[in-house]
Amino acid sequence: MAQKNGTNSSKDQSNASVDQYLAKDPERLARNLARALEELGKAAAAWTEAREKGETSDVTTAPLVDMVRTFSRVSEYWLGDPARALEAQTRLFAEFMGLWANAIRRMSEDAAADYASPPAADKRFQDPEWGRNAFFSFLKQAYLVTSRWAVDLVDGAENLDDMTRHKARFYVDQISQALSPSNFLLTNPELFRETMSSDGENLVRGMRMLAEDISAGKGDLKLRQSDASKFKVGENIAMTPGKVIARSRLAEVIQYEPATKEVLKRPLLVVPPWINKFYILDLNPKRSFIRWAVEQGHTVFVISWVNPDERHGRLDWADYIDEGIRFALEAVEQATGADAVNAMGYCVGGTLLAASLALMAAEGDTRIASATLLTTQVDFTHAGDLKVFVDEEQVQALDKAMRGRGYLDANRMATAFNMLRAGDLIWPYVVNNYLRGRAPLPFDLLYWNSDSTRLGAANHSYYLRNCYLENNLSRGRATLHGKRIQIEDVKIPIFNLATREDHIAPAKSVFLGSRCFGGPVEFILAGSGHIAGVINPPEMNKYQFWTGSKPEGMLENWLSEATETPGSWWPHWHAWIEKQDGQRVAARKPGGRRKTLGDAPGEYVRVRA
């Protein structure tokens, strides 16, 4: 009797497992699939219409050509010798035979472990059905086995130069991420169940969002990562009180209201990147570096870059220095009377600041007394995965495409940055938004990430060629205003911060760049990545940072002897600033005696691409 009950129980579980993959109302499912196809048609129409109107174009096929060329180099090695080709095929065949044997064993042994398992941090296969359902389990493991085999092919190819191998690994990862069974309706158990349980209503919502996002991207997919309706710049994001005190065609200069009766004599001028907007440093009161710096007694000035359009297409780095950094220095002096400032540059804003310091050193301009560089590269030898998109052919194709409009569309650069972490910033949102039909939750950091900017043609071309492609800045071959600039001419004290998990400005690259400067460099390594490692308020007590000797030798050796300190690097930086000049004066009113142009965060930051 017990055996009979056990058998019935097993059948009941099996039936329940099957039932969850059956449509509740087949007629309603059919109607919803038709509605989803209708919404998909609207998405296709939005894509086509933007190209017919000239609002967008497929900029270049150079990246695709480069990927094919790169894979051809890998194939040449394995197919050039029949024995090697047989070895590669045999290895994959053996993996699938092991997977097949494991699948047979699991039919009689419920507790048998998977043949191939994803890393613990991999969130794609957390649904229980990936493990207990034979079909989905086999799909998962076949995918893991094949993707790892592809990586081994790249690593095992002995005739590749470092750059080609780097590209091949990147492209393999992109294809592997895209082809994951978790990204498709019929091969993802969770998606399939949701579709059946809602009779396809999720697909109707998802395809509607897809059409909306392609329309919002003017023919390109503007992937929504946050609920943008919950944020408004100046009201619940970028809220620190201040005034716009000056405006050029490239930059607004913002001075923030003091929060202390006395302030440091030297003002702080922040040079943010022009890729995305400055308010990453002022997301909300609890995570605002700007607000925190004001509360420590800094008179904070920030450059807010214009969101460029065709009018700015011919303005290059020299213009950004003249009408951005130097323009801001003049505004700071007029507002405070100070003839020496502490400057801070973040990411490419720091690279521009370093170039500006070299030019100013050559001209005898001493208004910047110290510089803080946050996740900034000046030597691009180890510049990470972004170098995949930068070779002579791709840069020339991009130059040609940008000349027509005078700028690179914001969505193009945003997509490139998202591809650096496709498993976190692309595919989870594709699945959640367009297949599950769920709108993303509001998140200020991801809202900022999606609020990207266009890139002026001459400015972006100078950056790609002189930094990523030719590394002229670190080699003393870059020119500004017709003069060759030398980073080693910069003798002022430098606070150089890298983050350990940075995928945009790798710590190894930042460390190497420390040697380019001619004066004292304080190198700091912070925990986490390009954003979280920088935006790390002391009150949150997260991560850590390392301090040590001069940045010489290898980063690994430096780190092995460095001192680890829990928490935020912000107080350490503030103490370093006070060591440079700790004099204090009475707090300053924004703009001084001059009329201000409006409230922070200004006008330029509100212009969306």
Side-chain angles (χ1 to χ4, degrees):
M1 189 70 178
Q3 184 178 1
K4 184 177 179 180
N5 290 339
T7 302
N8 290 338
S9 176
S10 178
K11 288 182 179 180
D12 291 341
Q13 291 178 1
S14 177
N15 291 335
S17 179
V18 172
D19 288 345
Q20 63 184 336
Y21 297 109
L22 299 178
K24 303 297 183 290
D25 185 340
E27 184 177 343
R28 183 168 179 261
L29 174 62
R31 288 198 304 269
N32 281 333
L33 289 178
R35 291 171 59 201
L37 286 174
E38 182 181 351
E39 296 293 343
L40 183 60
K42 293 178 182 178
W47 185 91
T48 303
E49 183 181 7
R51 282 155 179 78
E52 291 175 346
K53 290 182 176 180
E55 292 178 342
T56 190
S57 61
D58 297 314
V59 172
T60 173
T61 59
L64 181 60
V65 171
D66 183 66
M67 182 177 70
V68 173
R69 182 170 55 242
T70 301
F71 284 155
S72 296
R73 294 285 306 278
V74 178
S75 300
E76 286 174 7
Y77 174 79
W78 291 104
L79 298 179
D81 183 337
R84 281 200 296 262
L86 179 62
E87 174 197 345
Q89 296 173 34
T90 301
R91 196 183 324 139
L92 181 61
F93 179 74
E95 290 279 19
F96 271 90
M97 289 301 295
L99 178 56
W100 182 253
N102 177 262
I104 294 174
R105 184 168 65 253
R106 293 191 63 184
M107 293 176 65
S108 57
E109 300 177 26
D110 291 340
D114 284 346
Y115 179 79
S117 299
D122 194 335
K123 299 178 181 179
R124 295 174 295 178
F125 305 108
Q126 293 184 335
D127 188 273
E129 288 291 283
W130 287 112
R132 66 190 178 203
N133 183 290
F135 172 72
F136 293 117
S137 176
F138 185 85
L139 279 178
K140 174 192 71 176
Q141 295 181 79
Y143 162 75
L144 293 172
V145 162
T146 305
S147 57
R148 291 170 185 172
W149 174 78
V151 172
D152 290 342
L153 288 185
V154 174
D155 291 343
E158 297 177 359
N159 64 334
L160 302 182
D161 59 87
D162 290 343
M163 191 64 224
T164 301
R165 192 183 305 278
H166 186 176
K167 287 184 175 184
R169 285 173 177 159
F170 179 81
Y171 290 138
V172 163
D173 182 64
Q174 296 303 311
I175 293 173
S176 175
Q177 291 282 353
L179 295 180
S180 170
S182 60
N183 296 337
F184 301 96
L185 180 65
L186 297 179
T187 56
N188 183 326
E190 193 172 3
L191 289 176
F192 197 91
R193 287 198 311 271
E194 289 188 22
T195 302
M196 293 300 103
S197 65
S198 69
D199 292 319
E201 190 69 36
N202 57 313
L203 297 181
V204 178
R205 296 192 305 268
M207 294 304 100
R208 184 180 299 127
M209 279 196 283
L210 178 64
E212 291 170 355
D213 290 352
I214 291 178
S215 180
K218 297 180 180 179
D220 292 320
L221 178 62
K222 187 176 178 62
L223 184 65
R224 68 177 84 181
Q225 298 171 324
S226 176
D227 184 354
S229 67
K230 304 299 183 185
F231 298 102
K232 191 166 184 180
V233 173
E235 293 187 8
N236 60 358
I237 199 169
M239 301 164 56
T240 302
K243 298 289 184 181
V244 177
I245 64 168
R247 181 182 294 120
S248 71
R249 59 177 171 170
L250 282 179
E252 289 181 330
V253 182
I254 301 170
Q255 181 181 357
Y256 289 91
E257 298 277 1
T260 55
K261 292 183 178 180
E262 289 189 330
V263 295
L264 288 167
K265 182 180 179 181
R266 284 186 191 171
L268 174 66
L269 173 62
V270 180
V271 184
W274 55 81
I275 301 171
N276 290 107
K277 297 177 179 176
F278 80 88
Y279 65 84
I280 183 60
L281 297 166
D282 191 27
L283 282 176
N284 62 58
K286 292 184 178 180
R287 290 197 291 169
S288 171
F289 175 83
I290 291 173
R291 182 181 291 265
W292 181 87
V294 168
E295 291 171 349
Q296 308 314 303
H298 292 270
T299 305
V300 180
F301 295 80
V302 172
I303 293 174
S304 176
W305 297 109
V306 73
N307 198 336
D309 54 35
E310 59 276 358
R311 297 170 298 173
H312 308 93
R314 297 185 178 181
L315 304 181
D316 62 10
W317 271 35
D319 297 298
Y320 271 70
I321 290 173
D322 290 345
E323 299 183 41
I325 294 177
R326 283 175 158 164
F327 176 74
L329 287 171
E330 291 169 4
V332 170
E333 186 170 2
Q334 290 173 0
T336 66
D339 58 0
V341 307
N342 299 311
M344 171 181 282
Y346 190 178
C347 190
V348 66
T351 309
L352 181 72
L353 175 59
S356 179
L357 289 171
L359 179 62
M360 292 170 68
E363 296 176 348
D365 189 336
T366 60
R367 286 178 290 177
I368 297 179
S370 79
T372 298
L373 304 177
L374 309 178
T375 61
T376 292
Q377 298 177 95
V378 293
D379 187 310
F380 286 73
T381 303
H382 305 293
D385 286 341
L386 278 175
K387 290 189 75 172
V388 169
F389 303 107
V390 186
D391 56 35
E392 186 61 44
E393 183 177 340
Q394 292 189 73
V395 170
Q396 286 186 9
L398 195 58
D399 282 346
K400 182 179 179 181
M402 288 192 297
R403 276 197 298 270
R405 304 178 73 180
Y407 60 86
L408 179 66
D409 188 74
N411 204 40
R412 309 283 184 180
M413 199 65 188
T415 299
F417 276 106
N418 285 340
M419 286 176 69
L420 302 184
R421 293 174 54 205
D424 295 322
L425 296 177
I426 296 180
W427 296 109
Y429 295 98
V430 169
V431 170
N432 182 77
N433 299 357
Y434 310 131
L435 296 179
R436 284 183 175 162
R438 299 178 186 175
L441 298 173
F443 185 20
D444 56 2
L445 177 57
L446 289 176
Y447 173 81
W448 166 84
N449 189 57
S450 67
D451 190 12
S452 49
T453 60
R454 295 178 288 266
L455 302 173
N459 181 41
H460 193 50
S461 181
Y462 185 98
Y463 177 46
L464 293 180
R465 187 166 295 280
N466 284 277
C467 295
Y468 280 96
L469 185 59
E470 299 173 3
N471 204 10
N472 289 333
L473 191 59
S474 68
R475 295 173 179 172
R477 299 197 302 235
T479 59
L480 290 168
H481 288 309
K483 303 175 184 177
R484 280 200 172 190
I485 58 171
Q486 305 282 342
I487 299 296
E488 65 182 13
D489 290 342
V490 179
K491 309 293 185 182
I492 64 173
I494 302 291
F495 185 98
N496 201 18
L497 178 89
T499 56
R500 194 168 189 179
E501 300 168 17
D502 201 328
H503 58 288
I504 294 173
K508 184 178 180 180
S509 183
V510 177
F511 183 82
L512 182 62
S514 299
R515 307 174 194 177
C516 296
F517 297 96
V521 176
E522 175 89 359
F523 178 78
I524 306 296
L525 182 65
S528 196
H530 192 75
I531 302 298
V534 173
I535 310 304
N536 183 25
E539 291 77 10
M540 296 181 71
N541 197 31
K542 295 180 67 175
Y543 312 126
Q544 68 283 102
F545 65 93
W546 289 266
T547 56
S549 57
K550 292 181 179 180
E552 299 173 343
M554 302 291 290
L555 173 62
E556 295 78 8
N557 296 335
W558 179 91
L559 184 57
S560 67
E561 299 178 358
T563 301
E564 179 178 347
T565 302
S568 172
W569 58 271
W570 294 7
H572 181 80
W573 166 82
H574 178 66
W576 181 85
I577 287 289
E578 289 191 310
K579 287 180 182 178
Q580 311 311 312
D581 187 344
Q583 296 181 70
R584 300 216 170 213
V585 296
R588 297 138 166 163
K589 176 185 175 183
R593 296 181 179 179
R594 298 170 63 90
K595 184 178 180 181
T596 60
L597 304 180
D599 293 331
E603 297 178 7
Y604 285 174
V605 74
R606 301 178 194 273
V607 178
R608 295 185 65 86

